[in-house]
Amino acid sequence: MQPKPIRTTVVGSYPFPGWLEFASQNLDQFGRADIEEMIEDAVVAAVHDQTNAGLDVITDGEQTRLDFNLSFYGYIRGLEPNHAETRKFGPPAHDQRGKHSIVAELTAPNGLGAVSEFQRLRKLAPAGPTLKASVPGPYTLSGRMLPNERYKDRDAITEALLPIVRKELEDLVAAGCTEITVDEPSMSCYAYKEDTKRFVDIFNRTVAPVVGKCRLSTHLCFGNFKGRPVGYRKIHPMLPDFLDLSVDEVHVEMANREFDEIERIAEFAQKMDVAVGIIDVKNYYIETVKDVIERIERCLKYIPAEKLAVAPDCGLSQTARWAARQKLINLVAGAEKVREG
């Protein structure tokens, strides 16, 4: 089915309710049934905020994940947390994010948890919105793992993770998921200095079994840990190679970069649909409906409405819930006004 013009969508994550953050730090006081109730309540809250805004595509807000990708490490055998490798003090930055040492063969016999997340979302969400699952790609997932004798560099770790992620995507489709985002922000962050043809090869081998079996997208951004990016925030190093990604839609960060290189979305649009980040998740300025309309109209100069989706730049997990909620409401209201003409 052809998506509606100017679809409103999200990347994946949504802010945790304050009580969930508190509870997650005191899990020893809860029983298994309490924790499952807590998880469902958090997903209900995230779904409520998204559906109340009127989004065309929603997620579970990644309420069961500690971080966009770090929680997946709990499903991977052969890892141990390595907190000694992280900086402890000073301004928040990516070198304070958790790392893991590899101590055995990397396996995930029970998957990465995305299937159960999707099944829970399907149970709790109302009819209407498209339900999307987001999964980190193997290159991004490899970024917090430290090489060892068996896996000598990041490429080797990525290759070990690739079949694990691929199997998760296959299982999601088998479970009935019709829309999947494979998050690979590390590819966009490091496109300026790494082999972009190799990035495309890694990505396409990962998604090969599900191409044509779901609406497949990828999310390319420049990082958002504690509201801070990382990497060279330019699109042009990704081109032309990233045009060969096997996706139906590519998501690009624009709002936080003041729509720098906006004309480049026309190149993507020749090969795929484009979801443009027009809401800045790092800024507590709340975009007005007028702002949203102006930004969408700017995008329409380079891409037809039937190939355009609009979204926040990145996941909303690093944005306070009160701000995220209003940003989504205004996003949808602006999109609806543009559709109405």
Side-chain angles (χ1 to χ4, degrees), residues 8 52-55 279 287-290 292-293 296 310 326-340:
T8 53
N52 184 61
L55 287 163
I279 297 296
E287 293 85 354
T288 65
V289 174
K290 182 180 178 182
V292 171
I293 292 170
I296 292 175
V310 291
Q326 192 60 51
K327 282 172 177 279
L328 291 181
I329 289 171
N330 292 357
L331 169 73
V332 173
E336 289 177 346
K337 287 187 178 297
V338 176
R339 288 188 200 129
E340 293 166 0

Side-chain angles (χ1 to χ4, degrees), residues 19-235:
W19 55 262
L20 180 62
E21 291 201 33
F22 176 82
S24 67
Q25 297 168 14
N26 297 274
L27 288 178
D28 59 329
Q29 300 182 44
F30 295 88
R32 183 175 299 178
D34 301 314
I35 293 172
E36 183 57 31
E37 178 181 289
M38 183 192 313
I39 290 171
E40 288 205 358
D41 288 348
V43 173
V44 167
V47 166
H48 170 271
D49 285 3
Q50 293 173 85
T51 55
N52 184 61
L55 287 163
D56 298 313
V57 182
I58 67 170
T59 70
D60 71 343
E62 300 179 1
Q63 298 294 291
T64 64
R65 303 180 188 179
L66 298 175
D67 181 270
F68 137 73
N69 65 0
L70 294 186
S71 66
F72 287 97
Y73 293 175
Y75 291 94
I76 300 175
R77 294 183 181 176
L79 290 177
E80 287 184 359
N82 186 333
H83 300 297
E85 297 289 337
T86 56
R87 180 170 59 89
K88 302 296 188 290
F89 301 102
H94 288 252
D95 61 341
Q96 291 182 327
R97 296 180 68 213
K99 295 186 179 182
H100 285 72
S101 294
I102 302 173
V103 296
E105 180 183 4
L106 297 175
T107 63
N110 299 312
L112 296 173
V115 174
S116 60
E117 289 175 346
F118 171 73
Q119 291 170 333
R120 183 184 294 110
L121 173 62
R122 185 167 54 187
K123 179 179 75 171
L124 299 175
T130 297
L131 307 182
K132 180 169 80 168
S134 293
V135 179
Y139 182 73
T140 293
L141 195 57
S142 71
R144 312 311 299 174
M145 299 184 190
L146 301 170
N148 66 357
E149 285 300 311
R150 181 168 189 162
Y151 305 100
K152 296 186 179 300
D153 54 28
R154 186 167 183 174
D155 282 347
I157 298 171
T158 299
E159 289 298 327
L161 295 172
L162 194 154
I164 295 174
V165 177
R166 183 166 55 204
K167 178 66 163 53
E168 194 77 1
L169 300 179
E170 292 180 279
D171 290 347
L172 274 169
V173 170
C177 186
T178 61
E179 182 141 355
I180 302 173
T181 290
V182 178
D183 277 313
E184 278 289 13
S186 291
M187 289 188 176
S188 42
C189 285
Y190 304 124
Y192 75 99
K193 66 176 184 178
E194 300 290 347
D195 183 349
T196 50
K197 284 184 169 58
R198 171 156 172 74
F199 281 166
V200 172
D201 173 65
I202 291 168
F203 186 93
N204 288 350
R205 284 188 288 122
T206 302
V207 303
V210 299
V211 171
K213 298 179 181 178
C214 64
R215 181 169 176 80
L216 186 63
S217 60
T218 190
H219 167 230
L220 306 173
C221 79
F222 301 98
N224 183 31
F225 178 68
K226 305 298 185 183
R228 285 168 164 77
V230 63
Y232 181 59
R233 300 194 302 156
K234 294 289 185 180
I235 291 175

Side-chain angles (χ1 to χ4, degrees), residues 5 143 245 254 316:
L245 292 170
M254 278 288 167
L316 287 157

